[in-house]
């Protein structure tokens, strides 16, 4: 998205925001990872968005946020193989051939719809505690239902070391892996601004990983 936006600005291509997203996606699928469209949400900046997919049709809308989200993104300083992960996940589609693949389809289907619905309401209500609980619930279900399909990547010791670190628990509402999971990036929802700063310190000093604080302000604050 950054490259597409840079070309758009420098050469006055007059692309819309969705146009930038589309070119970014087409560039990404030309690489071996063949990631999906969800990454292109970053084109909207530090604003919550709801993305709904129907085959190649993408619907995006901004989500009104009550209150402020104090997040910390965590570069786990480890390694993941996105190509291996996506190959494992895609093996369960279009039809599941065993129980493990059925479990994955449930995770990415009905469970995903339900947890996203509840998370959307928590954002609208400004209920960070509930949102944190949902992040933990989503991670737990992912570990249980997706883990067996790609244990080499989803065991993710670096991710679970951060999520389970005792010193962080009183400071966060919850946390989970990012994107296709594995030992790439974690996200932690902190209980406030001071807690966000303290979480970043603990991550650097005790766990040796790279924290990236991100504060998303409520709709009324923008």
């Amino acid at each position: 998205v950054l490259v597409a936006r840079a070309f758009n600005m420098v050469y006055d291509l007059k692309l819309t925001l969705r146009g930038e997203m589309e070119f970014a996606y087409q560039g990404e699928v030309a690489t071996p990872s063949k990631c999906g469209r969800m990454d292109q949400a970053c084109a909207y900046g530090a604003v919550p968005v709801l993305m709904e997919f129907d085959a190649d049709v993408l619907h995006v809308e901004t989500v009104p946020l009550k209150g402020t989200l104090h997040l910390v993104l965590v570069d786990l300083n480890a390694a993941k193989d996105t190509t291996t992960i996506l190959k494992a996940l895609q093996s369960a589609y279009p039809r599941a051939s065993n129980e493990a693949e059925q479990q994955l389809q449930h995770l990415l289907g009905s469970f995903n719809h339900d947890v996203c619905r509840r998370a959307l309401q928590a954002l609208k209500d400004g209920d960070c505690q509930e949102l944190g609980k949902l992040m933990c619930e989503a991670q737990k279900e992912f570990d249980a239902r997706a883990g067996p399909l790609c244990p080499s990547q989803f065991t993710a010791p670096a991710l679970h070391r951060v999520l389970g670190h005792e010193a962080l628990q009183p400071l966060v509402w919850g946390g989970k892996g990012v994107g296709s999971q594995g030992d790439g990036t974690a996200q932690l929802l902190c209980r406030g601004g001071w807690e966000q700063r303290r979480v970043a310190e603990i991550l650097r000093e005790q766990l040796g990983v790279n924290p990236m604080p991100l504060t998303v302000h409520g709709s009324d604050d923008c």
Side-chain angles (χ1 to χ4, degrees):
V1 171
L2 180 60
V3 172
R5 181 159 296 170
F7 271 83
N8 192 23
M9 295 176 67
V10 171
Y11 295 104
D12 192 23
L13 300 178
K14 297 181 172 58
L15 295 174
T16 62
L17 187 147
R18 290 294 295 271
E20 292 175 346
M21 293 169 66
E22 179 61 26
F23 275 99
Y25 170 70
Q26 293 299 330
E28 188 163 17
V29 296
T31 70
S33 71
K34 299 187 182 302
C35 288
R37 294 181 179 274
M38 202 156 46
D39 291 349
Q40 278 67 59
C42 66
Y44 286 82
V47 177
V49 296
L50 173 66
M51 304 180 77
E52 295 182 283
F53 304 87
D54 185 0
D56 289 332
V57 178
L58 170 64
H59 175 72
V60 185
E61 64 179 83
T62 58
V63 176
L65 172 62
K66 183 178 180 181
T68 300
L69 301 179
H70 297 280
L71 295 157
V72 176
L73 304 179
V74 190
D75 179 350
L76 297 170
N77 284 343
K80 63 180 285 187
D81 187 336
T82 302
T83 303
T84 297
I85 289 173
L86 295 181
K87 184 178 179 180
L89 297 178
Q90 290 164 359
S91 69
Y93 293 87
R95 293 184 179 180
S97 60
N98 53 51
E99 174 65 21
E101 292 181 352
Q102 290 175 359
Q103 289 294 320
L104 180 70
Q105 289 191 0
H106 170 75
L107 172 74
L108 301 181
S110 57
F111 172 77
N112 179 63
H113 277 278
D114 178 62
V115 78
C116 286
R117 176 188 59 78
R118 289 182 284 150
L120 181 63
Q121 191 59 53
L123 287 169
K124 292 178 178 179
D125 294 341
D127 191 343
C128 290
Q129 184 173 3
E130 176 63 15
L131 185 61
K133 287 172 57 179
L134 291 171
M135 293 170 72
C136 294
E137 180 182 344
Q139 184 64 52
K140 181 180 179 181
E141 289 295 312
F142 189 93
D143 291 343
R145 299 179 187 271
L149 274 80
C150 193
S152 68
Q153 297 298 313
F154 292 152
T155 301
L159 170 65
H160 291 94
R161 178 170 169 251
V162 166
L163 295 179
H165 191 58
E166 185 175 354
L168 296 175
Q169 304 314 306
L171 305 171
V172 301
W173 291 121
K176 64 184 294 293
V178 171
S180 61
Q181 296 266 346
D183 271 342
T185 306
Q187 55 185 325
L188 301 170
L189 179 58
C190 304
R191 300 191 181 206
W194 178 87
E195 288 85 352
Q196 183 187 49
R197 293 187 292 274
R198 182 61 185 140
V199 163
E201 292 173 358
I202 292 172
L203 290 167
R204 279 192 300 266
E205 297 170 4
Q206 298 184 19
L207 296 175
V209 293
N210 299 322
M212 296 167 279
L214 172 65
T215 300
V216 183
H217 295 283
S219 304
D220 294 338
D221 299 331
C222 298

